[in-house]
Amino acid sequence: MDDPVQAQYEAYPYPARDPRDEARRLVTGSPSELAEVNHYLFAGRRDFRRPFRALVAGGGTGDAAIMLGQQLADRGGAGEVVYLDLSSAARRTAEARAEVRGLANVTFVTGALEDLPSLGLGTFDYIDCCGVLHHLEDPATGLRALAAVLEEPGGMGLMLYGEYGRTGVYPMQAMLRELGRGLKLEDRVGLARRLMADLPGTNWLRRNPYLGDHERSDAELVDLFLHSRDRAFTVPQLAELARSAGLDIVAFVEPARYEPTTYLGDPELLARLEGLDRVERAGFAEALAGNLKKHIFYAAKAGSGDGRVARPDRPEAVPILGRLPAAALAAALKREAALKVDLDGMALSLPLPGLDGEIVARIDGRTSLAELHADLQEHRPNLDWLAFKAAFDRVYEALGGLNHLWIAYPPSDQ
Ligand SMILES: C[S@@+](CC[C@H](N)C(=O)[O-])C[C@H]1O[C@@H](n2cnc3c(N)ncnc32)[C@H](O)[C@@H]1O
């Protein structure tokens, strides 16, 4: 095995997972949760009971493949998932997780994603590739290989490291290469822990408290500080990478973190940004915030991106609260009339007064805007559609901006 990246993931499959945990919880997250994919790539109109092929490229120990496989199985349809990874150790964990769940719709393949066009695995409606391309010798070649097996209409959910938010990581990597010369990977783990414990207060890692992954496990530590090949991207570099593979970036997650108005209040400065397009605004927001450690984004074939993201502009739109329980959120809004969040050190308070909280309390992932309006009218008879919609739009901007609210349309509406 001469590829150092493959050797690393054979020794430290990532992320560390115990298949027995499948009996008690499903790991979910961005990208690739099915309702989120529907929202950002299929305008909320994909019926997942119809045939749907997903590829998880560089699937690691299986988080995305298991989540997609389970969610497709739950919808009772003809959806299938292909898992692909270089590491057979990672694959063993992923396979064991599928077995605990009794998932029959996930196929496991060991191989390099660069070889996809010749692997004979077919084409895919959706491709997940998280935390992988930045480890390739040539990320653009990898992305082009993925684009070559992407169906149209279809799309990708990607995660690549963010340059500014990883401030402190690369000097650590350089020091550890120096300190660890000639040592085996497992011995360098101990060295990394010693160095972390002895860093001066001025060190950039010490000054970047939002990088805590390495404290969770050896696999996380190896991934962060002892990686054999790893680079980070700015938004303009991502846009160029996507362009080189014939793709457009459709949306960043969480959208609000990529929008300058989230951070800037000065109207004169904001006015000067008005001519920028969505991706340029995202690049500005990234430079401004400085804390984006990773970029999660959805991409589609160039020129096909317009209208991909669902909009709540019709009464039959069904809002779905992503990972926040409606009752807890509504209770918090009742107390504070604002949604308070902390985004890696950036505190936000989004006002959501009275009616907005009542709307949130009624969102159950099945009820349409028209039905929510009718329900609210029972005790607010004067609430017309325009006033309801204005309140819902505030909710959508706040919660959607944080990727907590997605939109779907009923399958009959396709
Ligand atoms: C950081 S892990 C991410 C795993 C998973 N995508 C996740 O987000 O949990 C990177 C994975 O990519 C795999 N990998 C790296 N280079 C690859 C390549 N060229 N082809 C296929 N898999 C690759 C590694 O073996 C490893 O399992």
Side-chain angles (χ1 to χ4, degrees):
M1 192 185 311
D2 16 296
D3 180 353
V5 173
Q6 184 179 7
Q8 174 186 326
Y9 287 112
E10 289 295 354
Y12 290 91
Y14 185 92
R17 293 284 182 239
D18 181 344
R20 287 170 300 188
D21 291 338
E22 295 311 310
R24 55 168 190 87
R25 57 96 184 94
L26 176 68
V27 176
T28 58
S30 287
S32 301
E33 188 144 343
L34 224 42
E36 184 181 304
V37 168
N38 194 20
H39 174 86
Y40 287 109
L41 286 173
F42 295 98
R45 292 172 186 280
R46 187 59 159 85
D47 182 353
F48 293 102
R49 292 168 306 184
R50 288 196 292 121
F52 182 80
R53 299 196 79 226
L55 168 71
V56 183
T61 46
D63 281 3
I66 297 299
M67 172 175 70
L68 277 164
Q70 185 66 61
Q71 292 186 344
L72 286 167
D74 291 346
R75 295 187 192 215
E80 52 174 316
V81 180
V82 174
Y83 160 107
L84 174 69
D85 202 289
L86 276 181
S87 158
S88 45
R91 170 183 168 164
R92 277 195 296 280
T93 301
E95 269 179 319
R97 292 172 74 181
E99 208 173 302
V100 172
R101 288 185 168 273
L103 287 177
N105 58 355
V106 189
T107 306
F108 293 89
V109 179
T110 300
L113 65 85
E114 291 92 328
D115 296 335
L116 266 166
S118 60
L119 283 177
L121 298 175
T123 55
F124 299 91
D125 303 295
Y126 177 66
I127 298 174
D128 168 290
C129 187
C130 283
V132 182
L133 292 176
H134 47 228
H135 298 313
L136 303 192
E137 215 165 306
D138 181 7
T141 303
L143 190 56
R144 273 196 299 276
L146 297 181
V149 294
L150 181 65
E151 270 292 341
E152 182 56 32
M156 296 187 198
L158 298 142
M159 187 280 274
L160 285 155
Y161 290 146
E163 182 161 317
Y164 305 135
R166 280 170 72 83
T167 298
V169 169
Y170 295 100
M172 277 297 278
Q173 287 191 1
M175 285 186 286
L176 286 166
R177 266 195 298 277
E178 191 62 40
L179 289 169
R181 258 181 299 123
L183 295 182
K184 290 203 297 268
L185 187 55
E186 49 274 34
D187 299 327
R188 286 190 278 139
V189 171
L191 275 187
R193 294 214 180 278
R194 296 176 79 101
L195 179 60
M196 273 187 319
D198 213 9
L199 289 173
T202 51
N203 175 273
W204 276 114
L205 187 72
R206 287 281 301 271
R207 296 165 75 180
N208 188 352
Y210 307 109
L211 277 167
D213 297 354
H214 53 286
E215 282 150 20
R216 286 203 294 259
S217 68
D218 281 358
E220 303 272 358
L221 182 137
V222 167
D223 220 64
L224 194 61
F225 296 135
L226 298 170
H227 212 288
S228 46
R229 190 161 57 222
D230 144 5
R231 59 160 294 194
F233 289 79
T234 62
V235 167
Q237 289 167 344
L238 287 183
E240 176 50 30
L241 178 70
R243 197 203 53 74
S244 75
L247 300 168
D248 280 342
I249 295 176
V250 172
F252 288 97
V253 174
E254 300 88 351
R257 297 185 79 171
Y258 291 85
E259 175 45 53
T261 49
T262 301
Y263 311 101
L264 283 182
D266 183 330
E268 202 172 315
L269 296 179
L270 284 171
R272 296 193 65 82
L273 300 179
E274 264 163 26
L276 301 187
D277 68 25
R278 195 172 36 81
V279 176
E280 289 166 337
R281 290 179 78 81
F284 193 94
E286 166 194 41
L288 201 53
N291 67 349
L292 292 165
K293 295 182 285 191
K294 35 174 105 154
H295 298 300
I296 296 172
F297 60 102
Y298 287 95
K301 290 253 165 85
S304 76
D306 285 350
R308 287 294 190 127
V309 182
R311 295 284 322 158
D313 45 15
R314 294 174 54 181
E316 62 271 28
V318 176
I320 300 167
L321 272 175
R323 299 168 197 117
L324 284 181
L329 188 55
L333 292 180
K334 211 166 181 174
R335 276 195 314 274
E336 314 231 20
L339 177 63
K340 298 203 162 143
V341 288
D342 181 279
L343 303 170
D344 293 323
M346 166 83 202
L348 280 185
S349 176
L350 305 162
L352 286 173
L355 176 59
D356 307 18
E358 289 180 49
I359 293 176
V360 170
R362 287 168 170 75
I363 296 178
D364 60 5
R366 292 182 299 277
T367 307
S368 68
L369 295 186
E371 291 163 336
L372 288 176
H373 177 219
D375 186 23
L376 281 162
Q377 271 182 324
E378 283 185 16
H379 66 278
R380 287 178 178 254
N382 295 329
L383 180 69
D384 64 24
W385 169 257
L386 285 181
F388 164 78
K389 187 60 170 50
F392 180 79
D393 286 347
R394 272 196 306 273
V395 169
Y396 179 72
E397 194 173 323
L399 294 181
L402 295 171
N403 195 38
H404 289 317
L405 187 58
W406 305 315
I407 299 297
Y409 283 88
S412 58
D413 193 42
Q414 303 196 21

